[in-house]
Amino acid sequence: MKKHNFSAGPCILPQSVFREASQAVLNFNGIDLSILEISHRSKEFIAVMEEAQSLALELLGLQDKGYKALFLQGGASLQFLNVAYNLLENKAAYLNTGTWSSKALKEAKLLGEVVEVASSKDANFNYIPKNYTIPEDADYFHCTSNNTIFGTQMFDFPQTSVPVVADMSSDIFSRKLDFSKFSLIYAGAQKNMGPAGTVLVVIKEDILGKVTRIIPSMLDYKIHLSKESMFNTPPVFAVYVSMLTMRWLKNLGGIEAIEARNREKAGIIYREIDRNPLFKGFAATEDRSIMNATFNLTDEALKPVFDQMAKEAGINGINGHRSVGGYRASMYNAMEPESVQVLADIMKELENKA
Amino acid sequence: MKKHNFSAGPCILPQSVFREASQAVLNFNGIDLSILEISHRSKEFIAVMEEAQSLALELLGLQDKGYKALFLQGGASLQFLNVAYNLLENKAAYLNTGTWSSKALKEAKLLGEVVEVASSKDANFNYIPKNYTIPEDADYFHCTSNNTIFGTQMFDFPQTSVPVVADMSSDIFSRKLDFSKFSLIYAGAQKNMGPAGTVLVVIKEDILGKVTRIIPSMLDYKIHLSKESMFNTPPVFAVYVSMLTMRWLKNLGGIEAIEARNREKAGIIYREIDRNPLFKGFAATEDRSIMNATFNLTDEALKPVFDQMAKEAGINGINGHRSVGGYRASMYNAMEPESVQVLADIMKELENKA
Ligand SMILES: Cc1ncc(COP(=O)(O)O)c(C=O)c1O
Ligand SMILES: Cc1ncc(COP(=O)(O)O)c(C=O)c1O
Ligand SMILES: [Mg+2]
Ligand SMILES: [Mg+2]
Ligand SMILES: [Mg+2]
Ligand SMILES: [Mg+2]
């Protein structure tokens, strides 16, 4: 049965990527070895790593602008720590827009002064704070560009002289931005980029080397950069599948092409949420994420019926996070508009039934 | 062409595991979703994680003995840091038997006093020091059970009241030991356990909670234990393939069965190294690893000829590490004795030719 996978991450990836990856597990590039058994020092894997790094920069429009891309382990969560270890000397500014921002902020506090410039915690993070002030003497400003759990997304980024660091785990490669406004971008692979098991870190090299503390090797961006993501054994398969997914995106027309499709998908679901009296959106309208749509039933009693309808339609992974309840439809890059239409259709069908 | 993969890691895994993993990338357990797109919170993946943790303890004979198993990211290299962060309060004792021990020691020094109880650096780590003394007031003693680069292995472990921590990255699940003598064992998956991208950490729980420092969340074993390896998104595929590999090992008869086969393989190669006047072993005879055999040509001029013969025989990955030169034949669990015989045969053939 065809599944419509709305999982928040790990999540849907292109079917063509699954086919290529499956084949590479048996025989990679016709070399009679599995991608799982080749050395990370082999010329075959070095080529994969180089292509992955270069595709990441190319998709973001950051080639030849002083940026480097790393593929590391530990997920976005380890970057919460690494960012502070590598950049926080005196003071850092954090915008708190949800669970992930809060966790990032918590780790940074272990290493220095942290100013929370604004928070939407007062309203269970259903909006993005605006009009906050970033201290000019901050070492960096940290934000979460898309709040996976609450379904909000930042559409404006502050104009500031302070280096901007963004956790783009759940909207990397989904929309055009001037990425050169960011000094550091990180993203766990397991949404738009690939399977769980690697994290992309894109760094403007000139922001490094300014802290006085000694950084443990595995947390030190300079060490990872000097070894081109091979300071220790990289997560070979996760990098390979991420590379395939970025290739797929490039062939599809890159970020511009996918953004149009992502807006189309978001339009389908939000129109239905607004139109349908049985559903209401969770996030403030102007901050609605084009990746994760969060919504609730107006009458919770309808949940068993709706869940059964979703199951019969092959819909997977729409249960909301416990912090929000209700539903969350994650519509990452690889999802076809048809799948979102299937969801909108059963929402309408519920209305007709009820 | 059938390849004989002697790669030091990532390395050979069972062919049946490749087939199952390849299928799961297309359709996992018949659920019409790829293993790469399912949520780590799905019941399907939770079952995988639980089976992996329980197989690891079962294979080591550590069930119901106060141990827990974790599958984390960051490789063995991040454990160099984590071990010290979680256990080093006053003083730690390290045995230095090679590159990996040295790196572990280096990270520990960032967090407290480290005593190097002995080192074989004087002889380019070609032997395992014996008769060293472990300070009784050390928080723990750290050793590397198998030195992947130099081809030495520890066959005796010290009798001590100090908790013993071992990096078993390159000999985990390869031979029977009384694993209950260890308080903490860690091993990057990418040798005997699975693909690159996850690290096994087996911890005796009662050794934790004794340091006074605040530990960053992602480095804190207690946090990972409390979330059963799911504090953040685990490396789903690497854990899955590790689980399949451990299942394979269990079905084969577990560590006892594989140890017999590993000894048989080591016998084949070391007998040929000793017999053949064109080759000499690198490691001290009594410390020779049954996982990685290091050896050199007595006449370097024969290298191009021998390399060509190896290539024609389908032999892959026998180039020695630059610290040792010559050759290294890594013969991990999944390698069949026949493959080692193919290598021994061409060594003999070289002698006949020369
Ligand atoms: C925005 C955001 N940041 C960070 C994380 C944590 O990522 P990881 O599980 O890779 O550590 C997530 C996970 O869903 C996320 O959505
Ligand atoms: C004994 C030993 N320890 C540690 C490591 C480092 O492992 P990782 O690359 O997973 O950090 C290796 C890698 O080969 C190893 O052989
Ligand atoms: Mg969030
Ligand atoms: Mg409505
Ligand atoms: Mg070594
Ligand atoms: Mg000889």
Side-chain angles (χ1 to χ4, degrees), chain B residues 22-38:
Chain B
S22 169
Q23 175 56 38
V25 170
L26 296 176
N27 185 350
F28 175 58
N29 279 2
I31 61 172
D32 294 324
L33 290 168
S34 167
I35 180 76
L36 305 182
E37 66 178 320
I38 61 171

Side-chain angles (χ1 to χ4, degrees), chain A residues 272-281:
Chain A
E272 184 59 24
I273 290 169
D274 290 341
R275 191 206 59 73
N276 194 323
L278 298 185
F279 294 94
K280 56 177 192 294

Side-chain angles (χ1 to χ4, degrees), chain A residues 182-203:
Chain A
F182 299 86
S183 293
L184 193 151
I185 294 166
Y186 61 94
Q190 68 273 7
K191 278 87 153 102
N192 280 327
M193 195 173 71
T198 191
V199 53
L200 168 68
V201 187
V202 173
I203 307 177

Side-chain angles (χ1 to χ4, degrees), chain B residues 59-76:
Chain B
L59 288 168
L60 297 172
L62 290 178
Q63 272 171 324
D64 306 317
K65 292 187 178 160
Y67 290 81
K68 286 266 167 68
L70 292 173
F71 286 87
L72 303 177
Q73 292 188 64

Side-chain angles (χ1 to χ4, degrees), chain A residues 182-297:
Chain A
F182 299 86
S183 293
L184 193 151
I185 294 166
Y186 61 94
Q190 68 273 7
K191 278 87 153 102
N192 280 327
M193 195 173 71
T198 191
V199 53
L200 168 68
V201 187
V202 173
I203 307 177
K204 195 154 188 211
E205 282 196 275
D206 64 13
I207 62 159
L208 297 179
K210 296 183 179 163
V211 292
T212 48
R213 74 173 62 81
I214 296 174
I215 307 172
S217 309
M218 280 295 289
L219 310 184
D220 190 339
Y221 290 136
K222 281 187 135 182
I223 288 185
H224 287 297
L225 286 170
S226 73
K227 302 288 181 178
E228 291 168 323
S229 308
M230 302 255 207
F231 171 64
N232 74 325
T233 316
V236 170
F237 187 73
V239 174
Y240 173 65
V241 181
S242 297
M243 185 279 280
L244 292 178
T245 309
M246 289 187 286
R247 248 192 212 166
W248 165 87
L249 179 54
K250 183 182 167 178
N251 291 336
L252 208 101
I255 291 189
E256 247 166 276
I258 209 73
E259 176 169 4
R261 200 171 83 162
N262 286 336
R263 291 195 179 279
E264 180 192 343
K265 291 182 291 183
I268 297 171
I269 190 78
Y270 287 121
R271 269 194 307 276
E272 184 59 24
I273 290 169
D274 290 341
R275 191 206 59 73
N276 194 323
L278 298 185
F279 294 94
K280 56 177 192 294
F282 171 78
T285 310
E286 80 269 22
D287 300 324
R288 281 174 166 177
S289 166
I290 62 166
M291 294 278 103
N292 315 92
T294 44
F295 53 101
N296 298 71
L297 282 161

Side-chain angles (χ1 to χ4, degrees), chain A residues 74-78 80 100 144 146 148 167 169-170 188 190-191, chain B residues 232-233:
Chain A
S77 297
L78 189 56
F80 298 163
W100 303 113
T144 311
N146 186 73
T148 327
D167 174 359
S169 291
S170 53
Q190 68 273 7
K191 278 87 153 102
Chain B
N232 74 324
T233 316

